[in-house]
Amino acid sequence: MPRWSTLLLDDASLAEMPKLPLKDVLRHADLVTEQQPQPQALYERWEKQQWSAQAIELGPDREDFDKRLPKAARKMIEESIATFIIGEYTGLDLLGPILTGAPEERDHLYLGTQIADETRHTQLMLRLGEEILGLDPDPKRMLVQAWNMVTPAHQELSRVETEIIRELQQHPSDYRRWLRAVALFHLITEGVLALVGQRAIVNSLHGIPLLAGLKAGFTAMCRDESRHVSFGLHALRQGVLEGYGDDIREIVEIAAPIALNIEEGGEVDAAPQGLTMKQLGIESLYRQLRLIGIEKEFADHVVDLSALKPAAEEDR
């Protein structure tokens, strides 16, 4: 292990990741995004932070999952893996138009690395689906199985993503539409959902001498996510400065209430403080909107909408 640092995760190998202090994993992305790294710096971080989805040993994890894990923990892991199977494959599918529409050459160079990351994440999730959950090994059939396992809110958000990306595909040079897609994918899907979900899994497994492969994989994904979210915040911060704040607000207003209610019940002990998934998502949303220059009053408004959403769904 390199010398001690507040960013221990930066230099950790895959084998070292399950042994890192929990607090360093949980706060890593926040420390990175606060530094406001530029796309070139994120590219350079990517070159130093490679890992292999195929190198993770999952045989012992399957034994742990089948024979040693409590029933409630198995259900949580099963639902989480299904969610990430859909989320990571969707991310891989959506990033192509975002790369094509990027306004600057350095954005293209960075986004190429994110596509590589999403490919690696998808490969790991397909392995987890087959080797841990026993889902169909064919990716097309597994995606159908996983889709039927995720919450209705997750399905709704996936449909919103598809519509926003379709608009960008039809207008690939439209900077306004590009920012809307980045706001949805990088700020909401990556920053509110993926990062919070990865942290929840890492936290849930902390202190349990089981599922070392899952711990390593989701910790590595947390590190990758710090780069993804940082890029989105960089692009959106620039968009706000250039006068596109209302377009970004519009997408956040549509998507954030769905994302904040995506976990049914939401009472997962996802952090040392005992916060719920929704509370963690709200914290992440406030932090990211602050970092791109969006006023707290708007964040308060979006959070209020998320409180109303479940009642609205019951009326339908």
Side-chain angles (χ1 to χ4, degrees):
M1 180 77 72
R3 69 175 179 83
W4 183 90
S5 165
T6 55
L7 290 172
L8 283 174
L9 186 51
D10 270 357
D11 301 312
S13 68
L14 197 59
E16 292 169 328
M17 287 182 179
K19 307 167 191 173
L20 293 174
L22 178 64
K23 64 181 179 62
D24 290 287
V25 177
L26 298 182
R27 67 196 293 258
H28 177 264
D30 298 340
L31 293 173
V32 174
T33 53
E34 289 286 349
Q35 296 170 5
Q36 300 188 12
Q38 299 292 303
Q40 180 62 28
L42 293 171
Y43 175 87
E44 292 169 7
R45 291 175 72 87
W46 175 81
E47 280 202 339
K48 297 173 183 176
Q49 295 176 343
Q50 296 300 301
W51 57 281
S52 169
Q54 294 301 112
I56 296 176
E57 175 55 54
L58 292 179
D61 284 44
R62 180 61 188 262
E63 285 282 310
D64 291 340
F65 185 82
D66 286 345
K67 300 177 180 179
R68 302 181 185 92
L69 211 61
K71 184 176 181 180
R74 282 203 307 274
K75 185 174 187 298
M76 184 276 291
I77 294 295
E78 184 178 74
E79 292 173 350
S80 296
I81 291 174
T83 297
F84 275 99
I85 288 171
I86 297 299
E88 297 300 338
Y89 184 83
T90 300
L92 178 60
D93 206 30
L94 300 183
L95 267 174
I98 292 177
L99 182 148
T100 300
E104 301 290 342
E105 281 70 20
R106 290 197 184 279
D107 297 338
H108 278 259
L109 292 173
Y110 164 75
L111 285 164
T113 73
Q114 189 172 343
I115 287 178
D117 285 343
E118 301 296 350
T119 303
R120 177 168 49 209
H121 296 180
T122 300
Q123 179 63 30
L124 176 59
M125 291 306 109
L126 293 175
R127 286 193 64 204
L128 293 178
E130 177 182 357
E131 298 176 42
I132 303 299
L133 303 188
L135 299 181
D136 196 301
D138 179 82
K140 193 170 187 177
R141 290 193 287 268
M142 186 189 296
L143 285 164
V144 174
Q145 291 173 320
W147 179 260
N148 291 328
M149 294 167 68
V150 302
T151 66
H154 191 113
Q155 295 176 348
E156 182 182 357
L157 186 64
S158 294
R159 295 186 186 101
V160 173
E161 289 174 331
T162 299
E163 182 59 34
I164 296 300
I165 290 296
R166 183 180 293 120
E167 288 183 17
L168 181 59
Q169 285 177 316
Q170 294 170 351
H171 305 274
S173 300
D174 189 321
Y175 182 53
R176 182 182 69 85
R177 286 186 170 89
W178 185 79
L179 287 170
R180 287 162 59 88
V182 170
L184 178 54
F185 185 68
H186 287 80
L187 196 155
I188 301 298
T189 303
E190 299 277 75
V192 173
L193 283 182
L195 188 58
V196 168
Q198 290 156 6
R199 287 168 165 171
I201 292 172
V202 171
N203 180 73
S204 298
L205 297 177
H206 180 68
I208 302 174
L210 304 172
L211 301 173
L214 261 74
K215 290 178 187 176
F218 277 97
T219 302
M221 288 168 65
C222 280
R223 184 171 70 183
D224 291 349
E225 220 67 67
S226 73
R227 298 191 303 271
H228 303 173
V229 176
S230 292
F231 173 79
L233 298 184
H234 160 77
L236 296 172
R237 191 160 47 244
Q238 188 63 34
V240 170
L241 290 174
E242 294 179 8
Y244 293 90
D246 285 345
D247 295 290
I248 294 167
R249 290 183 189 89
E250 181 183 354
I251 290 300
V252 172
E253 188 177 48
I254 292 169
I258 303 171
L260 292 174
N261 287 292
I262 215 160
E263 296 293 334
E264 292 177 340
E267 299 301 321
V268 178
D269 181 13
Q273 302 92 333
L275 300 177
T276 66
M277 294 287 280
K278 183 169 184 175
Q279 288 168 333
L280 287 172
I282 288 171
E283 282 191 359
S284 185
L285 180 66
Y286 272 112
R287 183 182 304 111
Q288 292 178 65
L289 291 177
R290 172 178 61 82
L291 287 170
I292 66 172
I294 298 287
E295 63 282 356
K296 182 179 180 296
E297 290 77 9
F298 174 75
D300 292 338
H301 163 69
V302 172
V303 171
D304 288 343
L305 288 178
S306 77
L308 296 172
K309 189 164 183 59
E313 288 177 344
E314 289 175 3
D315 293 339
R316 285 204 296 263

